[in-house]
């Protein structure tokens, strides 16, 4: 009898929602890879399917419910298939996922994914596994070689959030803030740089409060995001530093000073305003006013000339009147963002705002949503057009998704730049002469021989 070749252990990972989820999926994968699992982009070929889920809006959860439902039949015909759900929805809906979707094998919350390999073994041996404890430190150390892009990487610097913005489910799904030590983060960045990474994005749900849960260092001071960025800036090989997401409530001047001073800190700030109306900001419990937000934008531009600002906005928050909505609209006009991300309010069970009537009709939410996007299109086109005729530096990602005969990359302010060039330039810095602009991108010509 000939022995059958062992079946390759293939895992399919799909992330929904924010960058933090994308990274957590990679971290779980890194753990699985150390036990011989291999990533596949083809769910049909996978022995393990992992969905890394988001709870921020109802719609994000709906999508996962229907994807899970669609796997029921496959699991019936192939009982060796393992199905895992991780992330915010797994944390929030834990038991109900196992009840409504009995073909799911693993439900892993937001703080247990670093032991995904052990959970998979347990599921194989014992059947359904539920791992949603939120206590304790999340060990996010990883095999830095496992990442989707060679030249760019995300690094988690903190977990959770201690705020209670009234619409937000995150403090419930991701738990209280826990920071990773500055030395740990710097060490991971060093290992990434040694493996070819040139741009890092530091990730935290409320990254401006980084350090709050750490002990003071030898100088008697607690690390802050500014000191962290300064430490990352000293890592040889790293040429660009970004970070997400900045809460206006906690933005400190020392951060803007560091960004202004350090050429490697990108001139880009993702800075969610959520609303331009003081009354709505109060109901959201955001802890700042419109004027304070505008003041911070002005200060950022003063200390970091050329900085690009991007923001998140929620439309149709409970009780949002036309006048309150228009205050958001004028904020968008006044600031001149590089980009805005607009969300229609979605009540999340257990949040303070879910006690308020969700009284802005869906059609009206949609109208406000589209109105803001149309306005921003004009603003982005105007701002991008100012780049025509300029020479800019681009970190090349690779062939453009829309047109594989061209290359796409990002400039310092997080704009997409598209131009013709050979695929071998992926991962290199090049100079591009900008010729024209659209609202979402800049188009230009590669400067021959400029790669480094
Ligand atoms: N409804 C709509 N949008 C929301 N966001 C967070 N919670 C909600 C909600 N309940 C948006 C915020 C946040 C982004 C990640 O998602 O704008 O910044
Ligand atoms: Fe949610 Fe507010 Fe925390 Fe951001 S700062 S994760 S919006 S509670």
């Amino acid at each position: 009898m000939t022995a059958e070749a062992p079946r390759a252990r293939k895992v399919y990972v799909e992330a929904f929602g924010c960058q933090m989820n994308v990274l957590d999926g990679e971290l779980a994968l890194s753990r699985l890879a150390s036990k011989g699992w291999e990533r596949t982009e083809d769910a049909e070929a996978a022995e393990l399917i992992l969905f890394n889920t988001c709870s921020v809006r109802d719609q994000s959860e709906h999508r996962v419910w229907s994807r899970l439902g669609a796997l029921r039949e496959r699991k019936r015909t192939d009982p060796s298939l393992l199905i895992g759900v991780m992330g915010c929805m797994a944390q929030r809906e834990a038991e109900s996922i196992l009840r409504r979707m009995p073909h799911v094998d693993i439900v892993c919350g937001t703080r247990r994914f670093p032991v995904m390999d052990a959970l998979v073994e347990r599921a194989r041996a014992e059947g359904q596994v539920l791992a949603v404890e939120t206590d304790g430190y999340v060990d996010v150390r990883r095999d830095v070689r496992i990442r989707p892009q060679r030249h760019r990487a995300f690094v988690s610097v903190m977990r959770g959030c201690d705020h209670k913005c009234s619409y937000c489910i995150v403090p419930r799904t991701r738990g209280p803030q826990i920071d990773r030590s500055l030395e740990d983060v710097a060490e991971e960045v060093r290992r990434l740089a040694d493996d070819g990474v040139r741009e890092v994005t530091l990730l935290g749900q409320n990254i401006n409060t980084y350090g709050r849960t750490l002990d003071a260092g030898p100088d008697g001071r607690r690390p802050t995001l500014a000191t962290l960025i300064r430490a990352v800036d000293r890592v040889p090989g790293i040429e660009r530093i970004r970070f997400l997401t900045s809460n206006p409530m906690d933005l400190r001047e020392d951060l803007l000073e560091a960004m202004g001073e350090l050429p490697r800190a990108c001139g880009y700030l993702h800075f969610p305003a959520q609303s331009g109306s003081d009354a709505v900001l109060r109901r959201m419990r955001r802890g700042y006013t419109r004027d304070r937000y505008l003041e911070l934008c002005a200060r950022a531009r003063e200390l970091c000339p050329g900085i690009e600002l991007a923001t998140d906005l929620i439309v149709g928050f409970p009780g949002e009147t036309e006048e309150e909505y228009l205050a958001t609209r004028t904020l968008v006009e006044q600031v001149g963002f590089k980009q805005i991300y607009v969300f229609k309010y979605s009540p999340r069970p257990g949040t303070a705002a879910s006690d308020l009537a969700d009284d802005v009709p869906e059609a009206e939410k949609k109208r406000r949503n589209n109105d803001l996007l149309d306005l921003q299109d004009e603003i982005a086109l105007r701002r991008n057009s100012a780049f025509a005729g300029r020479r800019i530096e681009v970190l090349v990602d690779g062939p453009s998704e829309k047109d594989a005969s061209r290359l796409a990359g990002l400039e310092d302010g997080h704009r997409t730049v598209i131009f013709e060039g050979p695929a071998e330039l992926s991962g290199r810095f090049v100079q591009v002469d900008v010729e024209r602009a659209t609202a979402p991108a800049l188009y230009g010509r590669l400067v021959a021989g400029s790669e480094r």
Side-chain angles (χ1 to χ4, degrees):
M1 217 169 81
T2 51
E4 252 181 55
R7 188 167 151 185
R9 308 220 292 174
K10 294 233 163 83
V11 50
Y12 172 84
V13 185
E14 185 172 337
F16 299 80
C18 65
Q19 301 298 357
M20 189 77 87
N21 264 8
V22 176
L23 174 61
D24 288 352
E26 279 173 40
L27 298 177
L29 195 64
S30 154
R31 204 40 104 89
L32 290 168
S34 70
K35 297 287 160 62
W37 288 88
E38 207 177 274
R39 183 176 201 159
T40 172
E41 298 303 323
D42 176 11
E44 292 292 317
E47 190 183 338
L48 167 62
I49 294 182
L50 272 182
F51 290 142
N52 197 1
T53 60
C54 168
S55 287
V56 158
R57 284 169 294 279
D58 194 38
Q59 201 189 7
S60 346
E61 292 196 348
H62 263 308
R63 246 187 313 160
V64 173
W65 283 120
S66 73
R67 293 290 295 281
L68 288 174
L71 287 172
R72 196 188 307 259
E73 188 50 28
R74 184 168 155 206
K75 176 80 177 191
R76 205 179 56 77
T77 54
D78 178 9
S80 70
L81 173 71
L82 286 176
I83 303 170
V85 186
M86 53 185 280
C88 287
M89 176 179 164
Q91 189 72 48
R92 206 180 76 77
E93 293 276 6
E95 277 91 5
S96 67
I97 295 176
L98 294 182
R99 201 177 51 244
R100 282 175 62 184
M101 301 283 163
H103 55 292
V104 166
D105 301 280
I106 301 162
V107 171
C108 168
T110 51
R111 297 205 177 192
R112 287 293 169 268
F113 62 87
V115 293
M116 187 56 84
D117 51 337
L119 300 181
V120 169
E121 290 317 313
R122 248 175 68 199
R124 273 259 180 274
E126 303 165 17
Q128 280 194 326
V129 171
L130 182 66
V132 290
E133 306 80 0
T134 53
D135 54 318
Y137 179 71
V138 186
D139 180 7
V140 289
R141 283 172 63 87
R142 62 167 157 174
D143 180 342
V144 295
R145 289 167 304 179
I146 298 173
R147 52 176 208 274
Q149 284 181 306
R150 302 316 303 159
H151 57 290
R152 188 195 300 280
F154 293 117
V155 176
S156 161
V157 310
M158 65 187 292
R159 300 260 145 199
C161 176
D162 287 340
H163 284 308
K164 293 278 174 291
C165 300
S166 64
Y167 52 81
C168 187
I169 193 79
V170 166
R172 289 171 73 97
T173 58
R174 289 194 171 259
Q177 178 171 340
I178 305 183
D179 302 316
R180 211 170 157 196
S181 79
L182 188 143
E183 293 72 27
D184 243 22
V185 176
E187 203 255 335
E188 181 169 312
V189 173
R190 258 192 304 277
R191 287 187 291 130
L192 286 164
D194 288 346
D195 198 46
V197 166
R198 306 179 84 178
E199 176 180 308
V200 283
T201 302
L202 309 176
L203 292 183
Q205 223 76 47
N206 189 29
I207 201 162
N208 296 120
T209 53
Y210 172 78
R212 203 181 259 177
T213 70
L214 295 173
D215 294 333
D219 61 354
R221 294 205 192 140
R222 259 192 212 139
T224 62
L225 180 57
T227 49
L228 179 67
I229 289 175
R230 287 180 191 278
V232 171
D233 183 70
R234 290 192 290 271
V235 175
I238 296 299
E239 300 186 56
R240 276 185 178 176
I241 307 165
R242 303 185 189 276
F243 56 89
L244 291 172
T245 289
S246 282
N247 189 323
M249 194 177 347
D250 301 303
L251 188 89
R252 293 173 30 164
E253 191 120 321
D254 65 336
L255 173 70
L256 298 176
E257 281 163 6
M259 288 176 78
E261 241 171 72
L262 305 172
R264 283 187 275 260
C266 288
Y268 174 76
L269 191 64
H270 181 247
F271 194 41
Q274 311 297 3
S275 169
S277 149
D278 284 344
V280 174
L281 287 171
R282 243 188 335 268
R283 300 206 290 281
M284 288 179 167
R285 303 191 187 156
R286 285 293 281 177
Y288 55 87
T289 59
R290 175 195 179 93
D291 282 350
R292 173 72 184 143
Y293 184 84
L294 289 171
E295 195 180 293
L296 286 168
C297 292
R299 198 72 187 121
R301 285 180 165 149
E302 214 172 290
L303 290 170
C304 321
I307 195 170
E308 294 294 344
L309 303 171
T311 203
D312 293 356
L313 298 163
I314 297 177
V315 291
F317 186 79
E320 187 185 66
T321 61
E322 178 65 11
E323 197 187 345
E324 288 167 346
Y325 163 67
L326 289 175
T328 298
R329 196 177 198 283
T330 57
L331 183 87
V332 171
E333 276 171 336
Q334 217 169 320
V335 175
F337 293 104
K338 183 224 140 216
Q339 195 166 1
I340 65 173
Y341 300 89
V342 188
F343 303 100
K344 290 177 284 178
Y345 172 71
S346 162
R348 309 311 296 132
T351 58
S354 71
D355 293 338
L356 308 171
D358 179 18
D359 54 1
V360 178
E362 182 58 27
E364 184 54 24
K365 286 181 186 168
K366 203 166 170 185
R367 187 192 66 81
R368 293 176 188 180
N369 180 87
N370 293 346
D371 181 47
L372 284 183
L373 293 179
D374 288 348
L375 170 65
Q376 178 59 25
D377 258 4
E378 285 167 31
I379 295 172
L381 180 60
R382 196 167 63 235
R383 295 179 67 83
N384 282 355
S385 299
F387 278 77
R390 276 172 52 183
R391 181 167 286 187
I392 54 175
E393 187 165 65
V394 178
L395 177 54
V396 183
D397 281 329
S400 154
E401 264 173 36
K402 288 198 189 113
D403 173 1
S405 73
R406 294 194 282 187
L407 297 177
L410 289 182
E411 53 92 41
D412 182 88
H414 210 256
R415 285 185 174 80
T416 299
V417 185
I418 299 184
F419 54 96
E420 274 175 23
E424 300 83 77
L425 290 180
S426 303
R428 309 284 294 272
F429 281 97
V430 298
Q431 301 283 326
V432 172
D433 286 330
V434 179
E435 294 176 323
R436 66 185 180 88
T438 58
L442 304 178
Y443 293 80
R445 192 153 8 115
L446 175 69
V447 177
S450 64
E451 67 268 20
R452 60 176 189 90

